[in-house]
Amino acid sequence: MVLGIFTVILVGGVYYSNKFLPVAPKKFIFPDHLVFKWLQDNVKLNRFYGGGTAHIDFNFPTHYKVYGAEGYDSLRLERYAQLLASSFTGSVPQSYPRSDGVFPNEENGRRKRLFEILGVSHLLDKEDNPRTGADWHFERFTGDDVQGIYQLGKFQFYKREPVLPRIFLTTQYTVLKNDEEIIQKIYDPNFDLKTLILEKEPKLAISDFAGDIASPEAVIYEPSVVTIKTNKEYNSLLYLSDTHDPDWNVYIDNQKSELLRAHYAMRAVAVPAGSHLVIFKYQPKSFVIGRQTSAVTLASLAILSLYLIRKRQF
């Protein structure tokens, strides 16, 4: 009886939700557009940023499977929002009212430093009165080295040079434990951001081999799973410019390893020499607890229903 009531409530809820709360077709909310097609084909795993009238709303990149630099509206993580908020004044403010992580509209010397950390390779701008098909506005990116590469009607695409890749291997790092010191080091123009800023020493010994960084192969890149293939002749640090969170776990050849926080809010892991498969998995504890609670509840309802049925029979 209890199970029957539960089933009726569930089916009725779904039915009336669809009847009285219709959802508009996806194509009316996320229409096909040549801007997103160009970003998909050319930016790939790197990030882009659109400022001013070329700003793309926070929730759109996720649907189109392109990678913006500002996060997904209110789902942004605290330290990532702090890092972006620090680009306005050079330090983390006491409060920032919006949930969205945003950058300054104009280049101030700090914005481009964060673009480096995040792997922002392309900038999107807009010319509301296009005339020549190459109406570049380099003055809007003062202090940043950009090249105009394509104009699509009013929309203009610029490429930043040079730019750090989203994923790279390095042996160069420094350890800073104070948040304010980390922020100041990030914005120090004399500090090379290829040198990772960690908050503790990795458990694996890393010898400094001065040289260029290496870009490993990203085998899988999905919202909750990232798989990277590495092959270096010495121990190194793998940097992934995605937000660090305790619910992310990292595995090297299926063995759990220590997830490090780099550049204030990003992910890193120490990888041994040789060929390895590194897997980052998002495994939130809240989901595990919810799944276990639901399983126990359903089992209890089933047992209670069987008990009531047997009791009525005898």
Side-chain angles (χ1 to χ4, degrees), residues 213-231:
I213 59 176
S215 297
E217 178 188 357
V219 181
I220 297 173
Y221 189 91
E222 297 291 343
S224 57
V225 178
V226 179
T227 302
I228 301 168
K229 187 181 295 184
T230 66
N231 188 7

Side-chain angles (χ1 to χ4, degrees), residues 80 87 106 131 171 252-253 258:
Y80 187 71
S87 63
E106 298 180 356
R131 295 179 298 277
T171 60
I252 300 176
D253 299 330
E258 181 183 32

Side-chain angles (χ1 to χ4, degrees), residues 109-117 186 188 191 193:
R110 291 182 290 270
R111 189 178 75 171
K112 69 177 183 179
R113 298 285 288 179
L114 294 191
F115 284 172
E116 287 299 301
I117 288 176
I186 287 173
D188 180 357
F191 179 72
L193 291 170

Side-chain angles (χ1 to χ4, degrees), residues 214-271:
S215 297
E217 178 188 357
V219 181
I220 297 173
Y221 189 91
E222 297 291 343
S224 57
V225 178
V226 179
T227 302
I228 301 168
K229 187 181 295 184
T230 66
N231 188 7
K232 296 295 289 184
E233 60 271 21
Y234 44 78
N235 298 343
S236 56
L237 290 164
L238 173 62
Y239 173 74
L240 173 61
S241 65
D242 286 350
T243 311
H244 177 282
D245 184 82
D247 285 332
W248 276 98
N249 293 310
V250 60
Y251 302 86
I252 300 176
D253 299 330
N254 294 321
Q255 297 296 315
K256 190 171 183 180
S257 189
E258 181 183 32
L259 182 66
L260 300 170
R261 190 159 61 199
H263 286 333
Y264 194 84
M266 304 295 120
R267 288 179 234 158
V269 60
V271 181

Side-chain angles (χ1 to χ4, degrees), residues 11-260:
V11 173
V14 173
Y15 173 76
Y16 285 106
S17 294
N18 285 316
K19 184 176 181 179
F20 296 109
L21 300 174
V23 178
K26 188 163 52 177
K27 64 180 180 180
F28 294 148
I29 302 173
F30 299 105
D32 293 334
H33 198 285
L34 291 176
V35 167
F36 293 108
K37 175 64 174 172
W38 193 93
L39 292 171
Q40 291 168 350
D41 293 341
N42 295 274
V43 181
K44 302 187 185 300
L45 273 184
N46 285 333
R47 286 191 171 96
F48 74 94
Y49 172 76
T53 58
H55 178 261
I56 292 177
D57 197 48
F58 306 100
N59 301 345
F60 277 67
T62 301
H63 171 77
Y64 290 101
K65 294 185 178 180
V66 293
Y67 304 98
E70 297 167 296
Y72 185 87
D73 204 1
S74 58
L75 296 183
R76 61 92 180 115
L77 295 177
E78 182 180 19
R79 287 187 72 89
Y80 187 71
Q82 290 174 348
L83 181 61
L84 267 58
S86 71
S87 63
F88 288 86
T89 62
S91 60
V92 178
Q94 292 296 318
S95 63
Y96 31 94
R98 287 191 58 120
S99 59
D100 310 324
V102 296
F103 292 92
N105 285 328
E106 298 180 356
E107 180 54 58
N108 58 6
R110 291 182 290 270
R111 189 178 75 171
K112 69 177 183 179
R113 298 285 288 179
L114 294 191
F115 284 172
E116 287 299 301
I117 288 176
L118 297 171
V120 177
S121 63
H122 289 75
L123 301 177
L124 180 62
D125 199 14
K126 192 178 176 188
E127 169 53 61
D128 291 321
N129 297 295
R131 295 179 298 277
T132 68
D135 309 292
W136 308 117
H137 291 283
F138 297 108
E139 73 279 0
R140 297 177 183 174
F141 310 103
T142 303
D144 204 353
D145 189 3
V146 300
Q147 175 187 1
I149 56 174
Y150 182 61
Q151 182 164 327
L152 177 66
K154 296 182 179 181
F155 291 94
Q156 301 172 317
F157 300 89
Y158 296 79
K159 188 172 183 179
R160 300 182 65 252
E161 294 287 357
V163 62
L164 291 176
R166 286 280 306 279
I167 305 168
F168 65 82
L169 288 161
T170 182
T171 60
Q172 301 175 57
Y173 72 96
T174 186
V175 176
L176 294 175
K177 298 182 180 180
N178 180 273
D179 285 348
E180 185 61 28
E181 288 182 8
I182 296 173
I183 293 294
Q184 295 305 315
K185 182 66 74 173
I186 287 173
Y187 294 133
D188 180 357
N190 297 316
F191 179 72
D192 189 348
L193 291 170
K194 289 185 291 187
T195 300
L196 299 185
I197 305 173
L198 304 180
E199 297 174 21
K200 60 181 178 179
E201 287 284 345
K203 294 179 180 179
L204 185 67
I206 308 290
S207 299
D208 186 1
F209 288 88
D212 293 334
I213 59 176
S215 297
E217 178 188 357
V219 181
I220 297 173
Y221 189 91
E222 297 291 343
S224 57
V225 178
V226 179
T227 302
I228 301 168
K229 187 181 295 184
T230 66
N231 188 7
K232 296 295 289 184
E233 60 271 21
Y234 44 78
N235 298 343
S236 56
L237 290 164
L238 173 62
Y239 173 74
L240 173 61
S241 65
D242 286 350
T243 311
H244 177 282
D245 184 82
D247 285 332
W248 276 98
N249 293 310
V250 60
Y251 302 86
I252 300 176
D253 299 330
N254 294 321
Q255 297 296 315
K256 190 171 183 180
S257 189
E258 181 183 32
L259 182 66
L260 300 170

